[in-house]
Amino acid sequence: MFKVLLMIALFFMSISLVISFMRTVKGPTMPDRIVALDAIGITLIGVIGILMILQETIAYAEVILVIGILAFIGTIALSKFIERGDIFDRD
Amino acid sequence: MSALHWVILSPFLFALIIPFLFKYVSKIHTGWFVWLLPTALFIYFMNWLPVISSGQVVETSVSWIPALGIEFTAYLDGLSMLFVLLITGIGSLVVLYSIFYLSKKERLGNFYVYLMLFMGAMLGVVLSDNLIVLYVFWEVTSMASALLISYWFHKDKSTKGAQKSMLITVAGGLAMLGGFVLLYQMTGTFSIRTIIENVDVVQASPLFVPAMLLVLLGAFTKSAQFPFHIWLPDAMEAPTPVSAYLHSATMVKAGIYLVARMTPVFGGSNVWFWTLSIVGLVTLLWGSISAVRQKDLKGILAFSTVSQLGLIMSLLGVGSAALTGGADDPIYSQAILVAVFHLFNHATFKGALFMAVGIIDHETGTRDIRKLGGLMTVMPITFTVSLIGLASMAGLPPFNGFLSKEKFFSAMLNVRNFEAFDVGSLGFLFPLIAWIASIFTFLYSLIMFFHTFRGKFEPSNYERKVHEAPIGMLISPIILVVLVIVFGLFPNLLSYSIIEPAKQAILPTVLPEGEQFVVDIKIWHGVNTELLMTLGVVLIASFLFYLMHRWMKLAIYNRERDPFNWFYDNALTGLTSGSQWITRLQMTGLLRDYFAYIFTFMLLLVGYTFWRFDAFAIDTANTSVIEPFMWILIPLLIGAIVTIPFLNHRITAVIVVGVIGFLLALLLIVFRAPDLALTKLLVETVTLVIFMLAFYHLPEMRKEKFTPRLNVANLLISIGVGVTMTLVALSSAALGNEAGFESISDYFLENAKELAGGYNVVNVILVDFRGLDTLLEVLVLAVAALGIVTLIKLRLKGGEDV
């Protein structure tokens, strides 16, 4: 029963990934896409968490943390790029 | 290394010191030093003459590449003797002549180095028993000839002529090498003597005719046979001593030598007889007709050489009949005797004529028969020399050309009586063509004589004051014409000293051991058909010359160039432009085209392999269950990948690529690969950032926007590649199952803790079981990092070097 629930949760999360992806492609503006990418990252964290429960392992705990950091860094980098056209400042 | 080997190599060794002599002993003409060598060699070979004449041979061998059966075997028999005497004797005379012909201001060092290279190579060709060694020397003669033709390399015509002779003779030489390799295939040896001993193996082999034709191709190109004769007239741009030596007396006879040497191997067959006879006779006729049209003295002599070489070649073809078994009847082998005799005669009178023409050129500044005239009283000695040479060439008694021409006619008349080769009704053509060609030979000899020495002397035609040549220049041609007269009056001096041993060497298997051919050359045979034919030649040619002012206006007389040059010129330019066209067609410089070629080739190769070996298979055993959410994730992944080509916004494309990377990482987690997933995520994010960095540097104009174009060919290729690789993956999985291979991963799972002390099997494999790969991957990263730093920091200006 519990496994079925997890499966259902995974199913809906996949649908949410699809929807976020559609927003990434459609836009219409660049911030829309960046936010969608961020949302994909966070959804992935959820998916991986459920997969950990399903596979009865804690091997992916680091992955979850890394995705958390990377989604943040990626969003910052993209935002900075569309804000200034550059990622690293030069003095 | 015996003395004979050192003799062959001595010109090469001597060539090494010539530049020093030229540079440091500049007071004495370098030719005087060079002259000593061929003279010494000539005396050396003369000492062997009694030995060779008594039917013995000299053979010594040195190992060169024993593993390949290549021995440097020097072999001196009658045929080689004839050639080495010509090479060293005429070589010595030519060097003597060149001392007075070339002034000390010329680059004499180069000239004599090339000449010595040539002489050594020519000695090597005629003295080698090993086919490969023969081929090596053969190519050196081609090379030395090209160097000598382009001696005055600042002249365009010289380099063109050298290129032409090089291309034609080297092409023939390569064909000949192919023939030699086929002979080796048949007999397992490169030694000519051993091949002759196993001649029945060769003649029974299916490779017999190809080998023969390839060898003949080499001989025909070298000896300027029809239609490969076109290089010889253009080689006349060489200095006259070179023309006299290479292009009349020695190199162009290398093909003759090869044919004579190979007669015991290939002779007696139909193909050999007909090819040699027909090519020889056509060359004879064509060369003599073309010579009539020439206005340049050396042009006349060049085509005359072509025609005389054709004569010798046809005689060798006819003489090969002796090997069919009609040995008892001397009419079969008669032609070989004439070939050898005329070979010798031609070298003497043609050498003299070239030298005489060189003198005329040297003293008057022109070789054009339309400008020359009346030189008889101005240059009496040159006139006498030329008269004798021309009379011998035309075939007048009492000179040696007369004797060989009479013999030639009788040999050709004999062909009608041949029973072998189905000569039958075609037999009458042989003497007829020979007779017509002789008429033209007589005609151009008359033209050359009367237009140079008779007529009115016009001092205004010449740039300098015309006078007789210095005596040094005249010595060599005088010696040669003296030989012409001596051998014309006393031909039997040669009979058993040179001609009979040479004939014995060409036809070693015809006579029983210890017997000799009968060589009987007489001036007066009584009134017979040959004499009547000669009378006809003289009368008709004189009549034609008398009418010359009528047919001189014909277009065919006024066009000098051989029509076969058209083929050569067009082939050469066509080859160049054709290969340029092909290169332009495929080398577009566009990376996308090259990718298209690579992928198409891969598709064809893999597709053909699938079809050829019927390798396609699908097997669903050992596949895992697909979870419900995967039905959404996998289409999403595919959808994201398919979207990319249709995006027309770069940043969107980059973000979609990032999404794909994240989804791949998710797949890795589904398949339980945490380390890979972690790495994948990190790499994906870094790549994203680097893409963004690169975008900053895109040029303004095309920033942000791009529209993907639809290209049907590219679409088909990419779909094809995808389908093919999918099929390969499916099939290899299925075939792997079928073969029942087991994975080796169990070993790592069992031993990771026990042997390496780690629980993380992936990491244990990376740093322990397979640590070397990791080391080199680290190196790759280091090189990439250094490369990036170099690309960014190193800004060289033009001309600077790293």
Side-chain angles (χ1 to χ4, degrees):
Chain A
M1 186 62 200
F2 182 58
K3 205 175 167 185
V4 174
L5 278 176
L6 290 176
M7 277 299 183
I8 290 169
L10 270 181
F11 183 76
F12 281 109
M13 287 199 141
S14 306
I15 288 174
S16 115
L17 278 177
V18 173
I19 292 166
S20 306
F21 176 72
M22 281 165 69
R23 186 45 67 196
T24 315
V25 176
K26 276 176 76 177
T29 63
M30 201 40 63
D32 290 318
R33 298 193 170 101
I34 294 168
V35 171
L37 187 64
D38 199 36
I40 287 176
I42 304 304
T43 318
L44 277 182
I45 292 177
V47 173
I48 291 167
I50 298 171
L51 281 174
M52 274 166 67
I53 301 169
L54 262 177
Q55 297 179 356
E56 294 177 5
T57 170
I58 56 161
Y60 309 125
E62 297 101 326
V63 180
I64 289 176
L65 289 173
V66 165
I67 292 181
I69 296 164
L70 288 183
F72 173 68
I73 293 172
T75 311
I76 297 285
L78 286 170
S79 310
K80 200 169 172 190
F81 180 75
I82 59 169
E83 186 78 5
R84 300 204 195 157
D86 195 0
I87 297 175
F88 299 113
D89 294 318
R90 264 173 259 216
D91 300 313
Chain B
M1 297 280 279
S2 67
L4 208 49
H5 288 109
W6 287 114
V7 162
I8 296 172
L9 295 178
S10 60
F12 295 107
L13 299 174
F14 193 71
L16 288 177
I17 58 166
I18 288 174
F20 297 102
L21 289 175
F22 177 59
K23 200 169 172 193
Y24 297 113
V25 196
S26 48
K27 280 194 179 164
I28 307 170
H29 195 289
T30 318
W32 286 113
F33 300 106
V34 180
W35 180 70
L36 297 173
L37 182 75
T39 314
L41 293 182
F42 182 71
I43 294 167
Y44 171 83
F45 282 118
M46 281 305 269
N47 283 333
W48 278 110
L49 194 59
V51 179
I52 304 299
S53 299
S54 64
Q56 287 167 287
V57 296
V58 184
E59 187 178 6
T60 64
S61 191
V62 170
S63 251
W64 185 18
I65 312 174
L68 298 175
I70 297 173
E71 311 272 330
F72 184 8
T73 308
Y75 178 72
L76 183 64
D77 63 358
L79 184 62
S80 309
M81 195 66 200
L82 168 69
F83 273 92
V84 291
L85 288 181
L86 287 181
I87 294 162
T88 53
I90 296 187
S92 158
L93 295 177
V94 160
V95 172
L96 186 64
Y97 175 79
S98 72
I99 294 170
F100 297 93
Y101 187 84
L102 294 171
S103 76
K104 278 204 256 179
K105 286 174 200 141
E106 301 272 3
R107 293 161 291 107
L108 291 175
N110 296 14
F111 181 78
Y112 288 112
V113 167
Y114 301 159
L115 204 67
M116 285 299 107
L117 273 184
F118 171 77
M119 186 184 282
M122 203 61 210
L123 285 175
V125 166
V126 298
L127 287 174
S128 296
D129 180 53
N130 193 289
L131 289 173
I132 296 298
V133 179
L134 192 153
Y135 171 74
V136 169
F137 285 120
W138 184 277
E139 291 299 7
V140 178
T141 62
S142 293
M143 192 187 74
S145 163
L147 286 170
L148 284 167
I149 295 169
S150 59
Y151 178 63
W152 290 311
F153 54 78
H154 48 277
K155 286 202 289 185
D156 195 39
K157 279 178 109 177
S158 296
T159 47
K160 284 268 159 56
Q163 186 198 33
K164 192 174 187 176
S165 78
M166 188 84 175
L167 285 175
I168 293 179
T169 54
V170 168
L174 286 174
M176 190 183 80
L177 179 64
F180 287 171
V181 171
L182 289 184
L183 277 175
Y184 181 76
Q185 287 290 314
M186 288 183 259
T187 57
T189 175
F190 282 124
S191 160
I192 298 173
R193 297 237 294 156
T194 322
I195 291 174
I196 293 174
E197 279 162 24
N198 298 321
V199 69
D200 45 337
V201 181
V202 180
Q203 282 174 350
S205 164
L207 295 175
F208 177 68
V209 171
M212 175 205 292
L213 292 180
L214 286 172
V215 169
L216 278 184
L217 204 56
F220 287 169
T221 50
K222 199 72 161 183
S223 283
Q225 296 296 299
F226 187 88
F228 307 112
H229 62 279
I230 51 171
W231 67 267
L232 191 61
D234 286 5
M236 291 300 129
E237 294 300 323
T240 303
V242 173
S243 309
Y245 189 37
L246 273 69
H247 306 126
S248 73
T250 52
M251 189 182 88
V252 288
K253 296 206 169 85
I256 304 277
Y257 168 79
L258 186 74
V259 167
R261 191 47 98 195
M262 288 293 168
T263 296
V265 181
F266 296 117
S269 78
N270 252 329
V271 187
W272 181 263
F273 174 82
W274 285 109
T275 316
L276 281 180
S277 312
I278 292 172
V279 170
L281 286 174
V282 169
T283 313
L284 168 65
L285 191 60
W286 184 265
S288 57
I289 294 175
S290 300
V292 173
R293 309 193 307 165
Q294 299 301 307
K295 315 293 181 294
D296 176 84
L297 287 176
K298 276 176 97 175
I300 298 179
L301 288 181
F303 276 108
S304 153
T305 305
V306 168
S307 130
Q308 307 274 321
L309 291 169
L311 186 155
I312 299 171
M313 201 62 97
S314 66
L315 282 169
L316 286 175
V318 168
S320 72
L323 289 157
T324 49
D328 309 334
D329 201 341
I331 66 161
Y332 286 99
S333 63
Q334 178 81 1
I336 297 287
L337 184 153
V338 193
V340 173
F341 188 45
H342 192 69
L343 178 74
F344 186 88
N345 292 343
H346 177 248
T348 52
F349 68 70
K350 194 52 73 64
L353 283 176
F354 264 110
M355 289 177 189
V357 166
I359 290 169
I360 293 167
D361 187 17
H362 204 266
E363 301 305 326
T364 65
T366 181
R367 299 191 309 244
D368 195 325
I369 56 168
R370 286 165 298 197
K371 285 191 188 168
L372 291 165
L375 292 179
M376 188 170 103
T377 47
V378 187
M379 305 169 80
I381 304 176
T382 315
F383 160 73
T384 316
V385 165
S386 307
L387 178 64
I388 297 171
L390 287 168
S392 180
M393 181 161 80
L396 284 180
F399 307 110
N400 57 10
F402 170 72
L403 304 174
S404 49
K405 191 172 52 55
E406 297 288 287
K407 288 273 175 194
F408 169 57
F409 281 156
S410 62
M412 287 297 160
L413 286 167
N414 279 340
V415 177
R416 289 174 305 171
N417 306 326
F418 280 13
E419 281 151 26
F421 307 128
D422 310 315
V423 176
S425 56
L426 288 174
F428 79 95
L429 278 176
F430 285 73
L432 184 65
I433 295 175
W435 188 65
I436 295 173
S438 294
I439 292 173
F440 282 107
T441 307
F442 206 95
L443 181 59
Y444 67 69
S445 303
L446 284 177
I447 292 175
M448 208 172 147
F449 176 71
F450 281 98
H451 283 246
T452 313
F453 296 104
R454 297 306 308 269
K456 256 179 73 187
F457 181 68
E458 294 273 359
S460 59
N461 277 350
Y462 312 113
E463 290 157 13
R464 56 194 99 166
K465 194 168 176 329
V466 182
H467 54 79
E468 182 60 277
I471 185 65
M473 225 176 193
L474 290 165
I475 294 173
S476 302
I478 289 174
I479 292 175
L480 284 172
V481 291
V482 166
L483 288 179
V484 168
I485 300 172
V486 167
F487 294 126
L489 294 176
F490 311 106
N492 288 311
L493 286 176
L494 292 173
S495 299
Y496 287 97
S497 56
I498 289 180
I499 295 176
E500 201 281 332
K503 191 174 170 185
Q504 191 76 47
I506 297 173
L507 301 170
T509 51
V510 169
L511 286 188
E513 196 78 22
E515 279 191 38
Q516 278 195 320
F517 287 104
V518 180
V519 179
D520 182 27
I521 308 171
K522 280 185 289 190
I523 297 186
W524 180 250
H525 288 275
V527 180
N528 52 11
T529 325
E530 292 91 322
L531 192 70
L532 292 177
M533 282 169 82
T534 304
L535 277 178
V537 166
V538 175
L539 289 177
I540 295 178
S542 306
F543 182 63
L544 277 176
F545 182 72
Y546 177 69
L547 292 178
M548 194 177 168
H549 58 279
R550 298 212 179 156
W551 52 261
M552 253 175 97
K553 296 182 189 75
L554 291 178
I556 193 162
Y557 174 73
N558 289 315
R559 251 180 279 136
E560 273 184 61
R561 237 172 117 65
D562 197 287
F564 283 87
N565 283 312
W566 184 87
F567 291 101
Y568 172 82
D569 295 339
N570 278 350
L572 202 62
T573 51
L575 199 66
T576 323
S577 57
S579 54
Q580 278 169 347
W581 177 72
I582 289 178
T583 311
R584 271 198 304 272
L585 203 65
Q586 40 135 355
M587 304 294 268
T588 54
L590 296 174
L591 202 55
R592 61 166 176 263
D593 288 342
Y594 302 152
F595 273 124
Y597 301 150
I598 292 169
F599 285 128
T600 314
F601 179 74
M602 192 198 84
L603 271 181
L604 294 176
L605 193 67
V606 176
Y608 174 76
T609 315
F610 261 115
W611 172 78
R612 174 77 178 71
F613 296 99
D614 196 16
F616 178 65
I618 289 183
D619 185 9
T620 49
N622 292 338
T623 45
S624 35
V625 186
I626 305 172
E627 307 276 356
F629 68 96
M630 295 295 277
W631 285 109
I632 298 170
L633 282 184
I634 297 297
L636 176 61
L637 186 63
I638 294 170
I641 291 166
V642 172
T643 321
I644 289 178
F646 299 100
L647 296 174
N648 51 12
H649 201 269
R650 280 210 177 91
I651 296 191
T652 318
V654 170
I655 292 173
V656 172
V657 169
V659 172
I660 293 167
F662 277 11
L663 289 173
L664 283 173
L666 185 61
L667 275 185
L668 289 172
I669 287 165
V670 174
F671 296 127
R672 295 170 184 259
D675 297 297
L676 288 187
L678 213 55
T679 319
K680 177 82 192 158
L681 283 167
L682 289 166
V683 168
E684 210 52 58
T685 313
V686 171
T687 316
L688 197 77
V689 173
I690 288 173
F691 268 130
M692 287 299 167
L693 275 175
F695 279 6
Y696 175 72
H697 295 286
L698 282 181
E700 283 298 323
M701 264 167 59
R702 299 177 60 191
K703 205 170 180 176
E704 303 280 311
K705 279 289 206 185
F706 79 112
T707 325
R709 288 181 309 140
L710 181 70
N711 183 328
V712 179
N714 288 356
L715 185 71
L716 287 178
I717 289 173
S718 44
I719 290 176
V721 169
V723 169
T724 313
M725 290 324 286
T726 312
L727 292 181
V728 169
L730 289 174
S731 304
S732 53
L735 296 173
N737 284 340
E738 200 175 294
F741 294 129
E742 280 181 27
S743 167
I744 57 165
S745 57
D746 290 339
Y747 172 83
F748 295 120
L749 293 173
E750 283 162 20
N751 293 305
K753 169 76 179 79
E754 204 167 314
L755 294 180
Y759 293 97
N760 187 330
V761 182
V762 174
N763 289 1
V764 166
I765 290 174
L766 281 179
V767 299
D768 199 313
F769 289 124
R770 300 272 175 85
L772 206 58
D773 295 354
T774 316
L775 188 70
L776 295 176
E777 295 285 349
V778 171
L779 187 68
V780 168
L781 279 181
V783 170
L786 282 176
I788 290 165
V789 172
T790 317
L791 282 177
I792 293 172
K793 291 286 177 193
L794 191 67
R795 299 281 163 92
L796 291 180
K797 290 174 190 72
E800 246 180 300
D801 204 347
V802 182

